[in-house]
DNA sequence: CCGTATGTCCATATTACTTCA
DNA sequence: GATGAAGTAATATGGACATAC
């Protein structure tokens, strides 16, 4: 199975970020379209890069375009609700983090960050009743509950070297000296933006990762983890869809098998009940050696059965033509 | 050229936490 | 309010690949 997202074949670094300005000012609703191909793991578009952070290789681009040619079974994963606009500034910036001049306004989510960008977001107002409140208030309460450990998380997290930032393995704890994992909730807008970018590229190269992290005011590691989890979720959902499809196929075939068995029984009963039919020459099954399909053949008819010969109805020559319909 | 060490990214499984019914 | 299920961010692990030596 293959996830054939419409990624486009342009290897430009990250067009979404360029598009982000176009997105601004709209109420966005979108979904992720997905296509089912043939295999899954090996077909994942992998972003080959050097340590310098190159873009997609030609091979990857080829695979991307190939994947999109598979006959798709569409799976809309995200009928996304419009971005809330409760905050005044959100009329201008549905994705408030897109502006560099946050000034504690219109920023929600990831208050635990800060540090490297120098944004003091403690006083941020909330742009979404659900996302913002849950994201910030929840964290703040959590800080109150958990004390210093999480407070350090809020105030010091976010430092990840640009070069080291691409690493997958546990830099945060080492860098921040934290013991417990921290669970944060991305805001709706952040998730929406990540979804949009996932629609364009379901994998990230380091440049894209860093750019996206900067745009969303997240750590590159968070963006990377989000994409990994997103791919896993996509695959899981697609597996469920495939499972359903196979289940239906199985049911159809079972029903077909049942019908054919019944038909066979009826034919046998008919054959047993009609003496005339019994006088007919036996119909034999032959296997076409080339196409390995079964067809019936009949010996030359006898004189008394020449008038009506039902077996002729099933006799075809050459045999492999019989199976063509 | 071959083998080894290192670094990076990915898939996958799992854990920990949040949200909601 | 307690609780379990579902969703998801984060972590751990191992494999594949590229590069340097």
């Amino acid at each position: 199975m293959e996830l054939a997202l419409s990624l486009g074949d342009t290897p430009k670094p990250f067009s979404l970020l360029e598009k982000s300005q176009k997105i601004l000012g709209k109420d966005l609703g979108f979904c992720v379209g997905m296509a089912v191909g043939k295999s899954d793991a090996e077909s994942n578009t992998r972003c080959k890069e050097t340590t310098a952070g190159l873009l997609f290789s030609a091979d990857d681009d080829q695979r991307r375009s190939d994947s999109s040619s598979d006959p798709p079974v569409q799976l809309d994963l995200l009928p996304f609700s419009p971005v809330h606009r409760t905050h005044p500034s959100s009329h201008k910036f549905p994705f408030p983090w897109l502006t560099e001049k946050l000034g504690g306004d219109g920023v929600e989510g990831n208050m635990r960050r800060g540090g490297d960008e120098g944004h003091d977001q403690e006083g941020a107002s909330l742009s979404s009743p659900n996302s913002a409140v849950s994201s910030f208030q929840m964290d703040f309460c959590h800080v109150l509950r958990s004390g210093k450990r999480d407070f350090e998380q809020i105030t010091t997290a976010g430092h990840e070297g640009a070069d080291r930032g691409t690493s997958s393995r546990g830099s945060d704890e080492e860098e921040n000296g934290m013991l417990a994992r921290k669970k944060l909730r991305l805001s709706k807008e952040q998730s929406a933006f990540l979804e949009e970018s996932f629609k364009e590229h379901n994998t990230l190269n380091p440049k894209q990762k860093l750019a996206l992290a900067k745009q969303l005011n997240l750590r590159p590691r968070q963006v990377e983890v989000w994409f990994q989890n997103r791919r896993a979720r996509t695959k899981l959902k697609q597996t469920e869809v495939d499972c359903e499809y196979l289940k239906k196929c199985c049911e159809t075939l079972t029903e077909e098998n049942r019908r054919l068995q019944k038909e066979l029984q009826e034919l046998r009963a008919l054959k047993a009940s009609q003496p005339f039919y019994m006088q007919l020459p036996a119909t034999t099954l032959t296997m076409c050696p080339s196409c390995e399909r079964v067809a019936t053949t009949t010996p030359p008819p006898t004189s008394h059965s020449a008038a009506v010969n039902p077996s002729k109805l099933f006799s075809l020559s050459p045999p492999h033509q019989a199976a063509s319909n």
Side-chain angles (χ1 to χ4, degrees), chain A residues 125-136:
Chain A
S125 58
L126 309 173
S127 65
S128 170
N130 292 330
S131 60
V133 169
S134 62
S135 184
F136 176 67

Side-chain angles (χ1 to χ4, degrees), chain A residues 2-295:
Chain A
E2 180 163 346
L3 300 176
L5 294 157
S6 300
L7 302 176
D9 32 8
T10 57
K12 60 183 175 182
F14 210 77
S15 60
L16 174 71
L17 298 180
E18 300 167 10
K19 276 175 24 185
S20 62
Q21 296 304 317
K22 300 174 189 172
I23 295 173
L24 298 179
K26 292 182 195 171
D27 265 341
L28 274 188
F30 58 83
C31 63
V32 174
M34 205 171 7
V36 179
K38 40 190 189 306
S39 67
D40 49 0
E42 69 275 6
S43 63
N44 279 318
T45 54
R46 206 171 238 220
C47 179
K48 310 292 182 192
E49 69 240 351
T50 66
T51 53
L54 300 179
L55 300 180
F56 303 117
S57 67
D59 181 38
D60 283 325
D61 287 336
Q62 182 60 44
R63 274 187 283 170
R64 286 166 202 276
S65 56
D66 286 345
S67 64
S68 61
S69 64
D70 289 323
V73 172
Q74 291 296 331
L75 173 61
D76 290 338
L77 293 178
L78 261 190
F80 203 81
S81 58
V83 175
H84 294 293
R85 282 179 169 185
T86 55
H87 191 274
S89 66
S90 64
H91 287 275
K92 206 173 176 183
F93 301 109
F95 300 135
W97 58 86
L98 289 178
T99 172
E100 288 294 319
K101 295 194 284 183
L102 300 170
D105 238 0
V107 177
E108 47 132 303
N110 279 316
M111 304 307 170
R112 53 203 74 59
R113 203 177 137 73
D116 50 350
E117 300 295 333
H119 294 154
D120 184 9
Q121 300 162 349
E122 291 283 323
S125 58
L126 309 173
S127 65
S128 170
N130 292 330
S131 60
V133 169
S134 62
S135 184
F136 176 67
Q137 291 184 345
M138 174 186 76
D139 290 336
F140 188 67
C141 293
H142 189 61
V143 167
L144 292 179
R145 280 199 309 267
S146 306
K148 185 186 173 189
R149 187 194 68 195
D150 285 303
F151 181 72
E152 284 176 354
Q153 164 193 339
I154 288 180
T155 54
T156 64
H159 284 287
E160 191 164 13
D163 42 354
R164 181 66 185 92
T166 59
S167 172
S168 300
R169 306 214 174 169
S171 58
D172 294 343
E173 260 71 11
E174 297 166 9
E175 291 178 4
N176 298 325
M178 307 238 251
L179 298 177
R181 84 167 65 186
K182 42 267 176 188
K183 178 69 179 275
L184 57 90
R185 205 79 182 179
L186 299 181
S187 70
K188 280 188 177 181
E189 286 78 9
Q190 285 172 316
S191 296
F193 199 91
L194 287 166
E195 286 287 352
E196 271 295 325
S197 58
F198 186 81
K199 269 166 63 177
E200 293 202 10
H201 308 283
N202 65 350
T203 55
L204 292 172
N205 63 33
K207 268 187 182 177
Q208 293 171 336
K209 189 199 302 179
L210 288 174
L212 198 51
K214 193 175 180 184
Q215 285 274 344
L216 297 177
N217 207 21
L218 293 170
R219 280 167 285 140
R221 171 67 180 158
Q222 285 179 290
V223 174
E224 178 184 332
V225 166
W226 188 91
F227 268 74
Q228 284 177 1
N229 287 323
R230 186 64 180 79
R231 283 190 293 267
R233 284 196 293 271
T234 297
K235 188 175 181 182
L236 185 65
K237 282 216 184 306
Q238 192 58 59
T239 301
E240 289 173 5
V241 168
D242 290 344
C243 191
E244 278 302 308
Y245 175 74
L246 290 174
K247 212 166 132 187
K248 278 195 170 59
C249 284
C250 184
E251 287 171 3
T252 303
L253 289 172
T254 302
E255 182 57 34
E256 175 76 359
N257 185 41
R258 197 173 295 132
R259 189 184 64 77
L260 289 172
Q261 293 280 0
K262 189 180 173 188
E263 194 176 322
L264 182 62
Q265 273 190 341
E266 288 172 359
L267 287 173
R268 280 178 176 155
L270 184 69
K271 185 179 177 181
S273 65
Q274 291 184 357
F276 172 72
Y277 185 84
M278 294 296 289
Q279 293 173 0
L280 297 177
T283 298
T284 59
L285 294 176
T286 58
M287 178 84 76
C288 175
S290 59
C291 62
E292 295 186 353
R293 284 173 174 165
V294 176

